[in-house]
């Protein structure tokens, strides 16, 4: 029967599993993201660093074959495919993934809060935690596809080209890619969601995200210079992540601060700084993601 | 069986006690929630939805405890909030479908029911339009669609006729009545408009300062007051009144010709006309004087003051 001829009836069919219901939100969000050429273009561009890395790995392993084709690729011999190579790739991806999150993140929660949609979400068998997980999984999925997923693929390709001995010698790279990426993606996703929840106007939320990233870097440097300390470096998100990258990829337990006072500090403090930021973002989210706000 | 049971339910928010030891069992098909601003109507609904955990006491909705079984409760209820609630960029069909899926319906069933429900509330032709472009009346209907799309056993409507023009209001009243009468759905309606509550509800809870000031069954109230009459007679009426009093009627003469009368259960209006004929008294006017909801509301507010 045509739908307009039917009348309203009570639903008596089967229900879906509650466990995976939080995945409904990302499914709808992805439909929106994929419908936009701008987002699709940005996503493809974000894969460029990995594509370049792939070409370098491939050519580095086939210098002789390239010579046979009359291409002099001996200059590539100065490139070593090791922890240093991967850390440089992932420092670039730190910025690229940040830009992608800045594009997508502010539009995730802000429209729901601006249009008072929270009571509708949360009057259903759906919790605040599931809502946040659902929204965060959008960012984590997109950014994973441009960071650790192609990173692991590169590691596998290099293993296939250079042999298992290379893989054994550089085994540290594997957990470093996975853990480092997840930590960074979690941090920026939570910050983006927290800002999206607090700043209901999307462009302002995006600007605030950039502000946190760049202003915190400047603030950290100024703090170091004024207070003659090295701990201001922990206020800089990129530096904190840099410490973790170097710790994970190169097993450097001490991080040399690149600006005045040029001292060293333990690499694990970068991890503490990022975990603290994640905790703060979670508190801000918990504060704002409520079905109804209490008016005092 | 009571579908709402309150057991010394209290709630404090921001250092203020909003709901104060509410107790009672409510079984009407459609319960109206009345009260002045700040009485705690919306907060009570939000507590029943699990938005706020009670400070003390508890409540049962459809036999399920709000402290321990809130997910099961939410499976079985639909909620239409007072304010605008939607995602501006989404089309109505997509939004209603997403809400149905969040209530547990599989994607195909959710899509089918979203279409059905939007047709049912009269938004069939506008279902592919973005919600942000809807008029106020259409948004109210879209909220109703979201509340009923998953086929709940109970629907909570917070100010359903807010901002509707007369035609929209009539349409909303018709829909809500239909939902109540033909789909076996319990309703709780919160409204400032006494007329709306009178149209929709069979039981009314009047709240004041976080307490239930009055709870009454409107139908019983109407029945109880059915035999309260105001008469206007012509000619000599003392013999008629005496005879009426002998039948057990309570009479109070207001002026010469106006009489207020309370009839006992055994006396019908027809008996009065016969009595008047016997005593050659003309009854020129006879009026039922019944307590309107407004009277009940005003009395409840007065009791609160005392």
């Amino acid at each position: 029967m045509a739908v307009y001829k039917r009348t309203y009836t009570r639903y008596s069919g089967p229900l879906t599993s509650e466990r995976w219901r939080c995945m409904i939100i990302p499914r709808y969000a992805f439909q929106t993201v994929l419908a936009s050429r701008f987002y699709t273009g940005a996503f493809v561009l974000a894969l460029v660093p990995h594509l370049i890395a792939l070409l370098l790995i491939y050519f580095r392993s086939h210098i002789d074959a390239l010579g046979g084709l009359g291409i002099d690729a001996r200059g590539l011999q100065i490139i070593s495919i090791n922890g240093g190579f991967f850390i440089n790739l992932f420092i670039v991806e730190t910025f690229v993934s940040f830009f992608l999150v800045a594009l997508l993140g502010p539009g995730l929660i802000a429209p729901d809060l601006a249009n008072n949609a929270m009571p509708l979400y949360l009057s259903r068998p759906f919790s605040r935690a599931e809502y946040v997980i659902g929204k965060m999984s959008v960012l984590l999925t997109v950014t994973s596809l441009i960071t650790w997923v192609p990173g692991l693929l590169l590691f596998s390709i290099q293993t296939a080209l250079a042999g298992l001995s290379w893989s054994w010698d550089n085994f540290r790279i594997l957990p470093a890619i996975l853990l480092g990426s997840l930590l960074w993606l979690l941090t920026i996703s939570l910050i983006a969601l927290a800002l999206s929840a607090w700043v209901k106007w999307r462009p302002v939320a995006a600007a605030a995200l950039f502000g946190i990233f760049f202003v915190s870097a400047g603030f950290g440097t100024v703090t170091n210079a004024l207070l003659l300390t090295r701990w201001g470096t922990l206020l800089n998100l990129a530096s904190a992540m840099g410490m973790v990258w170097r710790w994970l990829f190169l097993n450097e337990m001490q991080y040399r601060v690149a600006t005045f006072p040029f001292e060293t500090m333990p690499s694990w403090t970068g991890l503490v700084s990022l975990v603290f930021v994640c905790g703060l973002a979670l508190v801000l989210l918990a504060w704002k993601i409520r079905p109804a706000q209490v008016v005092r | 069986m009571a579908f709402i049971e309150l057991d010394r339910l209290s709630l404090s928010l921001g250092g203020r006690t909003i709901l104060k030891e509410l107790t009672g069992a409510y079984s009407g098909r459609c319960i109206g929630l009345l009260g002045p601003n700040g009485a705690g109507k919306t907060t009570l609904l939000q507590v029943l939805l699990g938005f706020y955990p009670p400070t003390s006491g508890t409540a049962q909705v459809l036999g399920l405890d709000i402290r321990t079984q809130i997910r099961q409760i939410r499976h079985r209820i639909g909620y239409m909030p007072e304010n605008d609630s939607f995602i501006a960029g989404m089309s109505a069909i997509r939004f209603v479908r997403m809400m149905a899926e969040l209530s547990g319906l599989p994607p195909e069933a959710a899509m089918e029911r979203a279409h059905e429900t939007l047709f049912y509330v009269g938004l069939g032709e506008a279902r592919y339009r973005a919600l942000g472009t809807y008029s106020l009346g259409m948004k109210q209907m879209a909220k109703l669609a979201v509340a009923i799309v998953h086929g709940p056993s109970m629907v909570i409507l917070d100010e359903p006729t807010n901002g509707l023009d007369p035609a929209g209001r009539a349409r909303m009243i018709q829909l809500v009545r239909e939902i109540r009468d033909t789909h076996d759905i319990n309703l709780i309606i919160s409204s400032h408009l006494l007329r709306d509550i009178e149209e929709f509800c069979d039981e009314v809870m009047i709240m004041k300062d976080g307490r239930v000031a009055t709870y009454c069954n409107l139908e019983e109230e109407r029945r109880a007051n059915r035999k309260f009459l105001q008469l206007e007679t012509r000619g000599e009426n003392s013999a008629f009144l005496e005879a009426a009093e002998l039948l057990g009627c309570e009479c109070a003469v207001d002026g010469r010709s106006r009489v207020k009368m309370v009839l006992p259960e055994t006396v019908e209006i027809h008996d009065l006309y016969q009595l008047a004929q016997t005593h050659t008294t003309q009854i020129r006017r006879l009026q039922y004087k019944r307590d309107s909801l407004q009277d009940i509301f005003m009395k409840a507010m007065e009791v609160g003051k005392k």
Side-chain angles (χ1 to χ4, degrees), chain A residues 115-221:
Chain A
N115 294 297
N116 193 32
M118 295 315 296
L120 291 182
Y121 282 108
L122 301 176
S123 63
R124 284 156 207 281
F126 195 68
S127 67
R128 293 155 71 196
E130 284 169 312
Y131 175 82
V132 173
I133 289 169
K135 293 287 181 184
M136 197 165 64
S137 64
V138 177
L139 296 177
L140 288 180
T141 309
V142 171
T143 48
S144 291
L145 289 174
I146 61 157
T147 51
W148 63 267
V149 173
L152 293 183
L153 212 68
L154 287 181
F155 185 85
S156 313
I157 291 169
Q158 173 62 13
T159 304
L161 293 172
L164 277 176
S165 60
W166 178 89
S167 178
W168 187 251
D169 292 342
N170 294 280
F171 190 73
R172 191 178 182 84
I173 294 173
L174 206 61
I177 289 174
L178 207 60
L179 294 177
S181 297
L182 287 178
L183 176 66
W184 175 243
L185 300 183
L186 197 68
T187 307
I188 53 174
S189 298
L190 282 172
I191 296 173
L193 290 181
L195 283 172
S196 180
W198 278 81
V199 185
K200 289 180 186 173
W201 198 25
R202 201 172 149 172
V204 179
L209 191 58
F210 279 109
I212 283 183
F213 195 74
F214 293 109
V215 173
S216 72
F219 192 65
T221 309

Side-chain angles (χ1 to χ4, degrees), chain A residues 208-281:
Chain A
L209 191 58
F210 279 109
I212 283 183
F213 195 74
F214 293 109
V215 173
S216 72
F219 192 65
T221 309
V222 171
T223 307
N224 278 352
L226 288 180
L227 302 178
L228 296 176
T229 177
R230 56 198 164 148
W231 300 109
T233 311
L234 295 177
L235 297 173
N236 182 344
L237 284 178
S239 293
M241 192 59 220
M243 284 183 208
V244 177
W245 283 133
R246 298 191 79 79
W247 182 25
L248 291 171
F249 276 108
L250 307 174
N251 199 19
E252 284 181 8
M253 303 304 280
Q254 290 292 318
Y255 176 78
R256 177 164 289 283
V257 180
T259 53
F260 182 80
F262 305 105
E263 289 173 3
T264 57
M265 54 198 299
S267 294
W268 60 264
T269 53
L271 175 66
V272 172
S273 167
L274 294 176
V275 169
F276 176 77
V277 170
C278 287
L280 190 65

